[in-house]
Amino acid sequence: MKTHAQVVVIGGGVVGTSVLYHLTKAGWKDVLLVERAELTSGSTWHAAGGMHTVNGDPNVAKLQQYTIQLYKEIEQISGQSCGVHITGGIMLAGTRERLDWLKMAKARGRYLKMDLELISVEEAARLFPLLDKKYFVGAMYDPIEGHVDPYGVTHAYAKSAQIAGAEVVRHTRVVELKARPDGTWDVITDKGNVRAEHVVNAAGLWAREVGRMVGIELPILAMEHQYLITGDMPELVGKKEQLHAIDFEGEIYLRQERGGMLMGTYERAGVPWSPVTTPWDFGQDLLPNDLERIAPSLAVGFQHFPALEPPGIKKVVNGPFTFAPDGNPLVGPVRGLKNFWVACGVMAGFSQGGGVGLALSRWMVDGDPGADVWGMDVARYGDWTTLAYTNAKVRENYSRRFRIRFPNEELPAARPLRTTPIYEKLKAAHAVFGDYCTLEHPLWYAPSAEEAYDEVSFRRSNAHPHVAAECRAVRDAVGLLEISNYGKFEVRGAGAAEWLSRVMANRVPAVGRLALTPMLNQRGKLIGDFTMCRLSQENFFLIGTYAAETYYLRWFERHPPPSGVSVRPCAMEYTGLAIAGPKSRALLQSMVRDDLATSAFPFLSFRRMEIGMVPAYVGRVSFTGDLGYEMWVTSDYQRALYDLLTEAGRAHGLKLFGGRALNSMRIEKGFGNWAREYRPIYGPFEAGLGRFVDFRKDDFIGRAAAAEEKEKGGALRLLAFRVAARDADAIGDEPIWHRGKAVGWVTSGAYGHRVGASLALGYVPATLVGENDGFEIEIIGERCQATRLAAPAFDPSGALMRQ
Ligand SMILES: Cc1cc2nc3c(=O)[nH]c(=O)nc-3n(C[C@H](O)[C@H](O)[C@H](O)COP(=O)(O)OP(=O)(O)OC[C@H]3O[C@@H](n4cnc5c(N)ncnc54)[C@H](O)[C@@H]3O)c2cc1C
């Protein structure tokens, strides 16, 4: 084994070998993979090897497409067969809701250029004769599905990497990782030490333990997973290989395995394996079967596919593999550590391993993953992911693997965990809560406790009329919204303004003012959107997306402020309340000594005020697009502020409103949100944020690329649409059609209650900017006419928020 390497990859499963291969492909040849036992000695060896392209996150779906296409390449380079069987697959729907879900999945596949097809039950039975038609109402066919040989794939990656110069050492365990002051690592193994510039944790089943070697607790947990193989079936003799099948209602997947069928299930009562520590002596072992646990799924399986029962069960496999709380991988550099990377929590290694390797290798070599990997970025999780939280969420995710998540469905595990001081008060006001990074926040308010629940649906739900009333109250009087669920940062010290000026694209505001600003990477793409508030010369308060807090901090670490300037995350130290609507000024004025007239406290002002006895930061801004104020207080004051506002608000017709109404109103204004309209694949001009990029500043990160985008116009454009929808509004990821061609995708949609229309925001090619007509948006399989809005649907001139 060499003693120096540019990169040491820990783990020789399908993921580690893919990372190794992609690093060599990107030109880094001095790379070493260290494997504890033989290659595949974690989850990989006993995997069912199934692969598919469909994923709830379109960006992850793209990486899955890439993975499947890659197998030919590594077979050719290595001479090692991957045992690829592309059989095609069907997803079977047993309910109308599931059929709706399939229609949406098919629609989403359109702009990913996936060749998905909705088929009747008759057609499904023709393609997959083992099913009993009476249990199904329709299906979707995907020609690009199949399975591979896990051993073959892993060795093909490893050999391809070795041919390009990589070294692979087996039977060598990494036992310790020591960071050196220069950012390099001492990788201590049981066979000697290696000095590495970079370390990649691709340790699969042991990734959590390898994380602990560097002091981090990665949010991953292994679950036991069982599949069985039936005895030989006469129905399969002399036939073409059977398709892959997913039976959502049965919560099972099937494929042919030699003369029998393989049937696996994600049972509801899933069991974690080694919840605290994974034993190092676990090798190519299997866990004891527990057929009783999966008996309910098996019973449904034998009912829906009767030919599987008579041949009996020939073999049962029970093996562990790891999941993150949302079921997507954890990839990327880890905040707080230099040159330490992860590629773990990959629950579908044979669909995702290639994409993970590609993204990580680009990140390491080019400093950027080259694609939108927010959905699998390790930084999407913050400090809230304790061991017990991860345990609860992974179990929930596992049990729901084949269940529908409706757009208005809030999942119950690990809740309520974090609450703000006014939680009980809002509950008493019949709030229906959502969970955002473990913090409970109000979504909407029901008229009574009995009605305070969501009827989950793809269509307008029971919340619709109540959200409408909340929006009307904001339009006509004044509404009160809890806004605690934002990320907040204090930036202080001599040089703070200069640092912010370099990191943010907009002009740093004057004292007493706030500015909205995009944050760009060097490629001029959006990696954040902030409200930058200036309290004094060198004292700033930043407000951004809480879910991206770790992501932002990682970026700030790579672009650190000068000494003397501190950047402190303080999200949960400050809670917030916002009021919006024409009477909001009169309401706040009744409680403060400051003059709130526009001449004294104009739009985008920011100041410390005393609201009664409560010291608060007050910003004159509202995400609803109305006259409005955001008030930030340390959490100990929130209760008092809430009481003051609700008491004084009575005289002004104050009504509580929640996140659903806010979403509707911000879409009426065309205001974007992080992870929807704003993501690292869009530039500020494409996203309609060009006016917040200040080219009068000499230098800021992404300036040159943003200037080029401005000059050339960018490839895409975010547009707003009024949609002739019937009973369901766009929610995001629907295709946008133009004159019969799928040209773009929706990022957000909602019913605009203040304007009485269904609305959507989405990206289309910039060449279509001049077009107003000919657009359609496909909602649950129905193409609805969409009219492009040249100006925001609500208050197009913006006069209301400035009044
Ligand atoms: C029963 C079952 C069925 C499955 N079916 C499918 C399927 O159909 N399709 C699909 O895509 N996926 C399936 N999976 C999931 C798939 O197995 C995983 O996604 C994949 O194996 C993850 O690979 P990995 O490389 O991340 O981890 P692992 O395979 O766990 O590899 C990690 C490697 O790191 C090594 N290692 C760990 N710590 C150290 C250390 N300190 N020093 C040196 N080496 C170390 C280990 O020995 C191991 O070889 C299934 C899993 C199971 C259990």
Side-chain angles (χ1 to χ4, degrees):
M1 182 168 69
K2 53 169 86 174
T3 53
H4 282 77
Q6 193 175 3
V7 184
V8 168
V9 177
I10 305 172
V14 63
V15 174
T17 52
S18 167
V19 170
L20 191 75
Y21 167 65
H22 282 93
L23 283 170
T24 61
K25 202 174 165 187
W28 283 14
K29 312 283 184 185
D30 180 16
V31 291
L32 167 69
L33 185 145
V34 182
E35 165 55 47
R36 190 181 61 99
E38 286 296 338
L39 296 182
T40 76
S41 292
S43 302
T44 300
W45 74 275
H46 50 235
M51 55 181 187
H52 50 90
T53 49
V54 175
N55 186 288
D57 181 328
N59 296 291
V60 177
K62 269 189 222 164
L63 293 173
Q64 295 189 181
Q65 280 177 315
Y66 166 80
T67 301
I68 294 173
Q69 286 156 8
L70 188 68
Y71 292 131
K72 245 192 219 126
E73 177 179 312
I74 55 172
E75 278 185 337
Q76 265 166 12
I77 298 174
S78 66
Q80 163 73 52
S81 165
C82 294
V84 181
H85 292 236
I86 301 283
T87 56
I90 48 170
M91 295 184 161
L92 296 160
T95 62
R96 176 171 171 249
E97 287 74 26
R98 178 55 71 180
L99 203 55
D100 281 349
W101 187 88
L102 289 181
K103 285 177 190 165
M104 292 161 77
K106 172 184 155 60
R108 199 180 298 136
R110 275 191 213 283
Y111 59 79
L112 296 172
K113 305 207 168 22
M114 287 160 72
D115 199 9
L116 306 171
E117 195 186 336
L118 284 174
I119 56 175
S120 65
V121 180
E122 273 65 36
E123 183 63 6
R126 200 183 59 71
L127 291 169
F128 193 74
L130 301 175
L131 64 81
D132 184 340
K133 287 192 284 189
K134 71 171 177 278
Y135 295 107
F136 303 104
V137 296
M140 184 168 77
Y141 174 68
D142 179 0
I144 314 292
E145 259 190 55
H147 55 97
V148 287
D149 164 23
Y151 173 95
V153 168
T154 310
H155 281 83
Y157 276 132
K159 279 187 192 158
S160 301
Q162 283 169 304
I163 288 167
E167 186 179 335
V168 174
V169 293
R170 298 167 167 80
H171 301 286
T172 303
R173 179 155 79 88
V174 173
V175 292
E176 205 181 341
L177 291 165
K178 286 187 187 162
R180 289 188 173 229
D182 65 356
T184 62
W185 291 90
D186 285 321
V187 180
I188 318 294
T189 81
D190 54 5
K191 303 270 169 65
N193 302 346
V194 189
R195 172 97 176 261
E197 279 173 43
H198 299 265
V199 170
V200 178
N201 175 0
L205 278 181
W206 294 267
R208 191 180 45 179
E209 281 64 28
V210 171
R212 287 175 188 158
M213 291 178 192
V214 297
I216 56 171
E217 189 64 39
L218 288 164
I220 39 177
L221 175 69
M223 296 290 291
E224 292 191 15
H225 181 69
Q226 300 185 76
Y227 64 78
L228 60 84
I229 297 168
T230 69
D232 289 354
M233 294 169 54
E235 290 82 355
L236 306 183
V237 176
K239 299 269 169 56
K240 227 175 86 189
E241 186 173 4
Q242 291 290 316
L243 301 185
H244 271 231
I246 293 177
D247 170 5
F248 288 105
E249 272 57 55
E251 305 191 321
I252 49 183
Y253 60 89
L254 303 122
R255 73 163 169 84
Q256 188 168 342
E257 174 70 19
R258 299 173 199 274
M261 290 297 290
L262 180 156
M263 178 157 83
T265 180
Y266 286 82
E267 70 276 20
R268 296 209 174 174
V271 170
W273 179 70
S274 66
V276 179
T277 311
T278 308
W280 286 107
D281 59 358
F282 186 79
Q284 293 208 345
D285 303 309
L286 285 175
L287 306 172
N289 306 332
D290 186 352
L291 280 180
E292 215 160 280
R293 203 168 69 224
I294 59 170
S297 304
L298 296 187
V300 179
F302 291 139
Q303 218 176 20
H304 291 188
F305 309 94
L308 266 67
E309 193 164 11
I313 297 170
K314 193 169 80 182
K315 184 177 170 190
V316 181
V317 171
N318 184 7
F321 65 119
T322 55
F323 295 78
D326 62 4
N328 274 333
L330 297 178
V331 181
V334 174
R335 179 201 156 205
L337 297 171
K338 265 198 186 146
N339 300 333
F340 186 83
W341 308 79
V342 294
C344 57
V346 183
M347 61 80 56
F350 301 96
S351 304
Q352 300 175 338
V356 166
L358 175 72
L360 190 71
S361 64
R362 283 189 177 166
W363 217 331
M364 295 176 71
V365 174
D366 306 333
D368 188 284
D372 183 349
V373 296
W374 167 251
M376 57 183 196
D377 191 331
V378 60
R380 71 189 182 279
Y381 288 108
D383 296 345
W384 61 84
T385 53
T386 56
L387 197 68
Y389 167 83
T390 300
N391 188 301
K393 286 314 259 187
V394 168
R395 277 163 51 198
E396 178 181 65
N397 185 273
Y398 183 92
S399 74
R400 297 183 52 92
R401 171 93 173 106
F402 287 144
R403 279 162 69 190
I404 296 173
R405 169 104 191 243
F406 291 93
N408 63 340
E409 184 170 10
E410 294 292 323
L411 303 182
R415 293 182 60 196
L417 184 54
R418 288 196 286 176
T419 56
T420 62
I422 58 169
Y423 172 73
E424 294 298 341
K425 289 181 181 260
L426 300 186
K427 208 168 158 189
H430 317 309
V432 175
F433 289 94
D435 155 31
Y436 186 73
C437 309
T438 73
L439 180 71
E440 296 293 315
H441 70 108
L443 296 173
W444 60 281
Y445 292 86
S448 68
E450 294 70 44
E451 293 164 273
Y453 68 95
D454 270 311
E455 273 165 20
V456 295
S457 172
F458 290 121
R459 294 162 205 278
R460 290 176 199 147
S461 74
N462 59 322
H464 191 77
H466 308 301
V467 172
E470 293 172 17
C471 294
R472 279 196 303 271
V474 172
R475 184 191 61 193
D476 301 335
V478 53
L480 173 62
L481 170 78
E482 164 149 51
I483 52 168
S484 303
N485 58 338
Y486 281 88
K488 298 133 215 150
F489 303 87
E490 284 171 351
V491 183
R492 288 183 180 169
E498 288 72 19
W499 178 72
L500 282 170
S501 179
R502 174 156 171 69
V503 174
M504 303 293 172
N506 203 353
R507 189 175 60 253
V508 173
V511 173
R513 303 285 294 162
L514 62 84
L516 307 177
T517 177
M519 183 162 79
L520 306 179
N521 62 17
Q522 280 91 348
R523 295 189 306 131
K525 300 295 183 195
L526 290 168
I527 54 164
D529 65 309
F530 289 89
T531 308
M532 187 166 36
C533 314
R534 192 168 195 172
L535 279 156
S536 63
Q537 205 52 31
E538 301 292 5
N539 184 357
F540 292 85
F541 187 65
L542 297 188
I543 304 156
T545 306
Y546 185 39
E549 183 181 273
T550 306
Y551 179 85
Y552 296 149
L553 288 170
R554 188 178 64 190
W555 184 257
F556 296 158
E557 241 169 48
R558 278 153 184 70
H559 303 278
S563 75
V565 175
S566 66
V567 180
R568 201 176 70 84
C570 52
M572 289 304 124
E573 287 169 38
Y574 288 91
T575 45
L577 291 169
I579 53 173
K583 299 197 176 160
S584 56
R585 177 162 28 218
L587 167 59
L588 189 59
Q589 188 66 81
S590 70
M591 302 185 323
V592 298
R593 281 172 287 123
D594 307 64
D595 180 3
L596 296 184
T598 295
S599 52
F601 194 63
F603 183 52
L604 303 184
S605 295
F606 187 80
R607 191 186 296 165
R608 189 178 177 283
M609 288 184 194
E610 289 176 5
I611 306 173
M613 283 186 270
V614 176
Y617 295 150
V618 180
R620 216 205 109 172
V621 67
S622 172
F623 202 36
T624 66
D626 291 272
L627 172 68
Y629 303 85
E630 291 182 347
M631 291 155 275
W632 303 99
V633 293
T634 53
S635 297
D636 44 356
Y637 282 109
Q638 194 201 23
R639 235 179 130 90
L641 179 62
Y642 175 82
D643 287 345
L644 279 174
L645 284 164
T646 46
E647 178 62 33
R650 263 193 231 133
H652 301 273
L654 181 84
K655 186 171 169 60
L656 295 171
F657 71 104
R660 296 259 170 82
L662 180 67
N663 193 46
S664 159
M665 291 188 272
R666 65 110 189 155
I667 291 173
E668 287 174 324
K669 287 297 294 176
F671 295 158
N673 249 351
W674 172 250
R676 301 302 323 173
E677 286 71 32
Y678 309 146
R679 297 183 71 117
I681 41 174
Y682 308 125
F685 291 88
E686 292 178 320
L689 294 177
R691 65 189 183 286
F692 300 116
V693 180
D694 181 23
F695 288 107
R696 287 169 302 176
K697 296 195 294 187
D698 282 348
D699 199 15
F700 58 90
I701 299 170
R703 189 184 194 281
E708 191 182 330
E709 191 202 338
K710 186 180 182 194
E711 195 193 320
K712 295 192 177 153
L716 300 170
R717 192 70 82 245
L718 180 66
L719 299 184
F721 298 92
R722 179 187 293 260
V723 190
R726 277 187 306 133
D727 61 343
D729 304 299
I731 50 174
D733 294 333
E734 294 86 354
I736 302 173
W737 295 76
H738 186 252
R739 305 205 190 287
K741 248 179 82 184
V743 293
W745 54 90
V746 170
T747 48
S748 300
Y751 191 82
H753 294 280
R754 292 182 299 188
V755 299
S758 184
L759 301 170
L761 303 176
Y763 282 92
V764 300
T767 47
L768 293 176
V769 163
E771 304 275 339
N772 291 330
D773 304 320
F775 288 103
E776 289 168 311
I777 290 178
E778 185 172 338
I779 300 177
I780 321 180
E782 199 179 320
R783 275 155 63 172
C784 306
Q785 196 209 333
T787 310
R788 190 231 158 153
L789 299 172
F794 180 74
D795 187 28
S797 70
L800 289 179
M801 57 189 182
R802 292 187 173 82
Q803 66 187 296

